[in-house]
Amino acid sequence: THSESFGDICYAFVQDVTELERSVQIASQNKIVAEERIVRKFAGNKQRVKTLDGTRILIVDDNDLSRFMTKDTLEEEGAIVSDYSSGAAALNAIKKVKPFDIILVDLVMPEMNGVDLTRAIREWEEDKDIRVPIVAVTGEIESDLAKQCLEEGANGCMSKPLIIEELARLLILSMKEHSNRMERKLSS
């Protein structure tokens, strides 16, 4: 006697097909990432100046693939990148290491989202002479979370995937703003 019903067999088959579809999707994403790396590596002038050469950047994003792709892109531009998958771990790192030049914060994360992390960083900075530029990164630039993050002290908001030239522009503007703030503080 066969103990499995036709429904059980169909359910198992659907589960197997779903798992196979997931594997194909992951393989496809990995292939795209590899192809993009090859194109970037061999495209253009090899003597070009790297846009973010030596810039210390912190990425906070719970999505492994997004974090990997962002880190890879920024490192190709000469940045020195640290990355964390949670806001709490990133906040601990921020408190312990030399200040970063810029922090990229994903808005939608479990436990501590980008708004909460931005607020916590700004609160921690209050009695220090630093104010690290924070850029909120999101798939929905017009979202309420993006607006809240700006209200909590983020310097800008960018949509995914990042455009290096825009990031460099935001970094320059944020550094000028910080320099002006320090000059006003010293003159008063």
Side-chain angles (χ1 to χ4, degrees), residues 167-184:
L167 180 62
R169 184 183 59 75
L170 258 175
L171 177 61
I172 291 166
L173 289 173
S174 298
M175 292 173 100
K176 283 181 183 176
E177 178 184 306
H178 176 69
S179 176
N180 291 339
R181 189 175 17 263
M182 292 307 292
E183 285 178 19
R184 284 192 302 271

Side-chain angles (χ1 to χ4, degrees), residues 55-61 67-68 70-72 74-75 79-85 89-90 93-94 97-105:
T55 304
R56 293 174 33 87
I57 299 176
L58 173 64
I59 300 170
V60 188
D61 192 332
R67 198 172 61 250
F68 169 79
T70 303
K71 182 176 183 176
D72 187 56
L74 295 172
E75 286 178 339
I80 301 163
V81 182
S82 298
D83 64 292
Y84 291 90
S85 61
I94 290 165
V97 300
K98 179 182 170 189
F100 292 93
D101 295 312
I102 195 164
I103 301 171
L104 303 178
V105 179

Side-chain angles (χ1 to χ4, degrees), residues 13-183:
F13 176 75
V14 169
Q15 294 298 90
D16 289 344
V17 169
T18 302
E19 187 61 34
L20 179 62
E21 286 173 342
R22 277 193 213 119
S23 297
V24 168
Q25 183 181 17
I26 290 169
S28 176
Q29 288 172 341
N30 289 341
K31 180 180 179 232
I32 290 168
V33 169
E35 288 171 352
E36 286 175 352
R37 267 205 221 138
I38 291 167
V39 168
R40 283 195 306 255
K41 184 174 183 177
F42 294 104
N45 183 353
K46 294 183 190 240
Q47 301 298 321
R48 73 180 179 83
V49 175
K50 293 184 177 184
T51 309
L52 299 172
D53 201 25
T55 304
R56 293 174 33 87
I57 299 176
L58 173 64
I59 300 170
V60 188
D61 192 332
D62 63 314
N63 182 300
D64 293 336
L65 182 61
S66 178
R67 198 172 61 250
F68 169 79
M69 289 177 64
T70 303
K71 182 176 183 176
D72 187 56
T73 300
L74 295 172
E75 286 178 339
E76 285 182 8
E77 291 297 322
I80 301 163
V81 182
S82 298
D83 64 292
Y84 291 90
S85 61
S86 78
L91 187 58
N92 286 334
I94 290 165
K95 292 177 178 181
K96 293 179 183 174
V97 300
K98 179 182 170 189
F100 292 93
D101 295 312
I102 195 164
I103 301 171
L104 303 178
V105 179
D106 182 35
L107 287 178
V108 181
M109 295 186 292
E111 297 172 29
M112 180 183 275
N113 67 25
V115 175
D116 295 335
L117 178 57
T118 299
R119 182 182 311 114
I121 293 168
R122 293 302 184 227
E123 287 172 0
W124 176 77
E125 290 175 335
E126 280 181 8
D127 62 339
K128 295 160 187 60
D129 285 334
I130 58 171
R131 186 166 171 97
V132 178
I134 299 173
V135 176
V137 182
T138 180
E140 299 177 34
I141 199 90
E142 297 297 325
S143 73
D144 288 339
L145 272 180
K147 291 172 188 162
Q148 288 174 0
C149 200
L150 292 169
E151 289 169 4
E152 290 297 335
N155 298 77
C157 190
M158 294 183 68
S159 62
K160 293 179 183 180
L162 294 179
I163 298 170
I164 295 300
E165 292 77 17
E166 290 230 2
L167 180 62
R169 184 183 59 75
L170 258 175
L171 177 61
I172 291 166
L173 289 173
S174 298
M175 292 173 100
K176 283 181 183 176
E177 178 184 306
H178 176 69
S179 176
N180 291 339
R181 189 175 17 263
M182 292 307 292
E183 285 178 19

